Amino acid sequence: MPTKRGMWIGLVVAIVLLSLVVAAKQPKERPKTGPVAAAENKSGGGQEAKKDAVRGKPKTEDHAVDPSQYVGTETCISCHEEQGKSFDRGPHWKTNLAKHQGPQYQGCEACHGPGKEHAESADPSKIIRFGGLSREESSKRCLSCHQFGEEHSNFLRSAHLKNNVGCIDCHSVHSAKVNRQLLKAAQPALCYTCHQEVKPDFSKPFHHRVNEGLINCSNCHNQHGGFLDKQLRSTAAQDQLCFSCHTDKAGPFAWEHAPIKTEGCVACHTPHGSNNPRLLKRSQVNLLCLECHTLTIDTPAPNAPSFHNQAVKYQACTMCHNSIHGSNSDRTFFKP
């Protein structure tokens, strides 16, 4: 029989042999090449450099601006005197104060790019001219500063840009007719240059007072883009937009008129203008109500009672149901 000493020696030998076999099967580490190796060599093998190289993160020096290519606003004004005067009248003169951001964000060259070559040669091709850019390219130059915040952040996916309408179609830095927001014309005339189909609505007997200047198109629509149809500044049901002015209809109510929550105010009203009082879609109130409150199989709305025979005294439903938007005391909207 093997002794205890012999058993221990055999066990040690087996462990050594097993370690050698495992080590032989381990793949040899290959020398690192490419951007990871370059990043490690430059930074001493730092973990952050490895991550940046793997992710393809651009180094700061790759996008460095050469200050010598920028000549400053005063040089531009020496030739473009009229444009310089209009520049000073608008809000963009404040970019000259952005010393902390570098010359690429200051003055004329913030929009038109570095101007040294243009100033030395007077060659128009050596400077960025907005008239020669596509609407998307020119708008992206504007958004390099104006992209932050809800107002402008969706412009690149807006209906305007999809229809080849860019920033310079409505705004002008050097020849604005309305100094505020540098508009080429005041609302609603500016909007009517494209949206001719809605212009007659604001001349109907009952309309939102846009032509009178009480409200603007941009109070309801975000001209720079949004997530809803027609670029509305609203919720999906579109009711919150109306409630910003018509607060008495907002509620909350114990009994709500269902269409307000499901379809919004436009279920009964036309938003721009109508030939009917209160911007209603129908000239007779009962015809509007009977679009839902009639005997059909698939409608959840209650049917009009049989004694409502649509004689003259029943044709104005709101004579009795006068709290039609909602009520806190009556499920049939007889009382507020």
Side-chain angles (χ1 to χ4, degrees), residues 13 30 32 56 67 74 86 93 96 107-108 116 140 152 158 165 168 174-175 184 207 220 237 270 276 290 295 306 327:
V13 172
R30 297 180 180 178
K32 295 179 180 179
E74 295 300 324
S86 63
W93 66 268
N96 285 317
C108 308
K116 181 179 179 180
K140 282 182 177 179
H152 303 93
S158 68
V165 178
I168 60 175
H174 298 298
S175 57
K184 288 186 173 181
H207 59 269
C220 299
T270 54
N276 308 314
L290 288 173
L295 184 58
S306 58
S327 174

Side-chain angles (χ1 to χ4, degrees), residues 15 41 98 123 126 149 166 244 314 326:
I15 292 173
N41 293 334
D123 185 354
K126 300 298 184 181
S244 62
Y314 293 119

Side-chain angles (χ1 to χ4, degrees), residues 86 171-185:
S86 63
H171 303 275
S172 175
V173 173
H174 298 298
S175 57
K177 301 299 182 184
V178 180
N179 195 43
R180 184 179 180 183
Q181 299 171 339
L182 299 177
L183 293 175
K184 288 186 173 181

Side-chain angles (χ1 to χ4, degrees), residues 219-249:
N219 291 133
C220 299
H221 304 273
N222 186 343
Q223 66 276 23
H224 300 111
F227 294 98
L228 297 179
D229 188 30
K230 306 183 188 304
Q231 303 185 159
L232 287 172
R233 300 180 185 271
S234 184
T235 58
Q238 303 177 10
D239 53 351
Q240 293 300 322
L241 177 60
C242 304
F243 293 159
S244 62
C245 292
H246 303 281
T247 55
D248 58 314
K249 307 298 190 297

Side-chain angles (χ1 to χ4, degrees), residues 160 169-170 178 181 183-203 207-221 223 272:
H160 277 142
D169 290 299
C170 298
V178 180
Q181 299 171 339
L183 293 175
K184 288 186 173 181
Q187 295 189 59
L190 179 63
C191 304
Y192 289 161
T193 56
C194 294
H195 300 281
Q196 288 287 328
E197 75 281 1
V198 302
K199 185 177 180 180
D201 289 340
F202 295 106
S203 297
H207 59 269
H208 275 114
R209 285 173 280 185
V210 171
N211 290 340
E212 292 82 353
L214 185 64
I215 59 174
N216 293 320
C217 304
S218 57
N219 291 133
C220 299
H221 304 273
Q223 66 276 23
H272 292 140

